[in-house]
Amino acid sequence: MTIITTILGVVSLPIVATIAAGSGFIVGGVISYFIWDKALHNKSTKIIKEAETEAEVIRKDKILQAKEKFLHLKSEHEKEINERNNKLIAAENKFKQKEIALSQKIEENQRMKKELDAIRDNLQIQMDLVEKRSEELDKTHKQQVEQLEAISGLSAEEAKEQLTESLKAEAKTEAMSQINEIMEESKMTANKEAKRIVVQTVQRVATETAVENSVTVFNIDSDEIKGRIIGREGRNIRALEAATGVEIIVDDTPEAIILSAFDPVRRETARLALHQLVTDGRIHPARIEEVVQKTQKQIEDEIIEVGKRTAIDLGVHGLHPEIIRLIGKMKYRSSYGQNLLQHSREVANLSAIMASELGLNPKLAKRAGLLHDIGKVPDDEPELPHAILGMKIAEKFKEKPEVCNAIGAHHDEIEMTSLISPIVQVCDAISGARPGARREVVESYIKRLKNLEELALAHPGVMKTYAIQAGRELRVIVGSEKISDTDAEKLSYEISQKIQNEMTYPGQIKITVIRETRAINYAK
């Protein structure tokens, strides 16, 4: 009963139920249980063995992995140790090489020191010998000089002076001969080269000639318009003259009205205003003032546009806006009938070409050539030569010193300080001296030059006078025996004051008094 109870406590409820259901099945159930328990035991034993076997395999595998990792780490460590050893060996070898090289240098220095000591000793010996020989030579030379002095009857200093004077005279003669030859050769070469450059420059620049007057003819369709322009009791023409500053001449000339003024800008303003008034048909003082104001603004805009276009055409950049406006204003200014803007463009191109031929800066020369007459078109007109005024304007607007000097010196008012200045001066003369470039009444021109020369000739001591540079300079030659240097300066001042008080002339006139002293000898 105890066994049965124990079995009932272990087995499952179905078996208990079965035992409880029928005692006939108890024995069979017990047997089945023992069989099942044995099988279960065998199975668990097998599983345990398999687990032990698998654990043993895993353990051996882990041991192998650990050994491999240990060997890998060991090899890396050995490799690192070998690298460090190699570096140490290399460093040690390097230090040994340096030590060997240093030892060799020390030995070489010691050897050189010994050689230098030997050379110094040898030099000292030679210097002693040279000093000894020099003393002997001095003694011998002194004896020979004494013998020569006794033979010639001259001292050494006297003989030296005679020889020096003889050699100096001979050398001076040869030097003068060579200088004359070089001067003649250089003059021939320079004149030839200068002519080639000037001719080539003039040939490469050809511009049309423009002649302007101080009057402008305004054409009209019929003479009826003249009455409308005059207006009732002349109020329209008076308003137009007051607004433009131009004298309007309405005479019997058929279908034409004459506009007279020395300022071309005013004449052009009056012409455009008249054209607009006649086209519109409304002509009265209020309308005239309105149209003249619009026309003046239009002319001012056109002046700026002409200045910009001129600078772009010539490739001159970086100009101040006020200088650009003055360049545009040149279009409405003429000098002896030659349009000032056309003249300035021509001088700019000539200067650039000549500077290129001479190996100078063509852009700088072109800039100076364009601006050289800018002093002729200022808004206000102070009593200064146009070259000096143009130089001051250029300096005011931060132009380069070479450009300012070229502007101020192109009529010799100031001293030239750069090679650009004579180029601009020459090109200005070339542009103005071309046949047909300028227009002036020949009689008045010749009369003015003659009056200049006669005025200077009237002074005592004056031998000859020459008016040059189109009357801009007067050269006076005086006798050296009659006029001293102080008198020459005084004469120059007196002539300048007399010209200033008695003559009318454009710009300024430079008076140069030349007092020459000549020494002439003849070789027979």
Side-chain angles (χ1 to χ4, degrees), residues 10-203:
V10 175
V11 297
S12 60
L13 291 177
I15 296 175
V16 174
T18 304
I19 295 172
S23 59
F25 295 97
I26 294 173
V27 175
V30 170
I31 295 169
S32 298
Y33 170 75
F34 280 107
I35 294 170
W36 175 79
D37 185 46
K38 187 176 181 181
L40 184 62
H41 178 72
N42 292 333
K43 189 175 181 180
S44 62
T45 304
K46 185 178 180 182
I47 290 171
I48 291 169
K49 287 182 179 180
E50 289 177 355
E52 290 176 351
T53 304
E54 187 176 357
E56 184 67 20
V57 171
I58 291 171
R59 184 178 66 80
K60 290 181 178 179
D61 189 21
K62 293 295 183 180
I63 291 170
L64 289 173
Q65 289 180 2
K67 288 182 178 179
E68 289 178 356
K69 188 172 183 181
F70 173 75
L71 292 174
H72 180 68
L73 291 173
K74 184 179 179 182
S75 63
E76 288 184 352
H77 182 65
E78 290 177 351
K79 184 179 180 181
E80 185 177 355
I81 290 173
N82 290 332
E83 289 179 355
R84 289 183 180 179
N85 290 335
N86 291 333
K87 288 182 179 178
L88 289 172
I89 292 170
E92 186 177 357
N93 292 333
K94 190 175 180 180
F95 284 137
K96 287 182 178 179
Q97 291 177 359
K98 287 184 177 180
E99 186 178 358
I100 293 170
L102 186 61
S103 301
Q104 290 177 353
K105 286 184 179 180
I106 291 172
E107 292 177 356
E108 183 69 18
N109 288 335
Q110 291 177 352
R111 184 180 63 79
M112 291 178 66
K113 185 179 179 182
K114 291 180 180 179
E115 291 179 355
L116 289 173
D117 291 339
I119 293 171
R120 185 177 60 188
D121 295 338
N122 190 14
L123 285 175
Q124 186 64 37
I125 294 170
Q126 291 181 359
M127 287 176 64
D128 294 338
L129 292 174
V130 168
E131 188 176 354
K132 186 176 180 181
R133 289 179 181 177
S134 177
E135 291 176 356
E136 293 177 355
L137 287 173
D138 289 341
K139 187 176 180 181
T140 305
H141 177 69
K142 188 175 180 181
Q143 292 175 356
Q144 291 177 352
V145 168
E146 291 176 354
Q147 291 177 1
L148 287 173
E149 288 178 353
I151 294 171
S152 63
L154 293 173
S155 64
E157 292 297 329
E158 292 174 350
K160 189 185 294 184
E161 288 179 2
Q162 289 184 4
L163 180 61
T164 302
E165 291 296 329
S166 175
L167 292 175
K168 187 186 293 184
E170 186 178 353
K172 186 179 291 185
T173 304
E174 292 180 0
M176 288 298 295
S177 176
Q178 291 182 1
I179 287 171
N180 290 332
E181 291 178 1
I182 293 170
M183 288 292 290
E184 291 297 327
E185 184 178 356
S186 63
K187 282 181 181 179
M188 293 175 62
T189 307
N191 289 334
K192 184 178 179 181
E193 185 67 15
K195 288 178 183 178
R196 183 191 69 80
I197 291 174
V198 171
V199 171
Q200 185 175 359
T201 302
V202 174
Q203 287 175 346

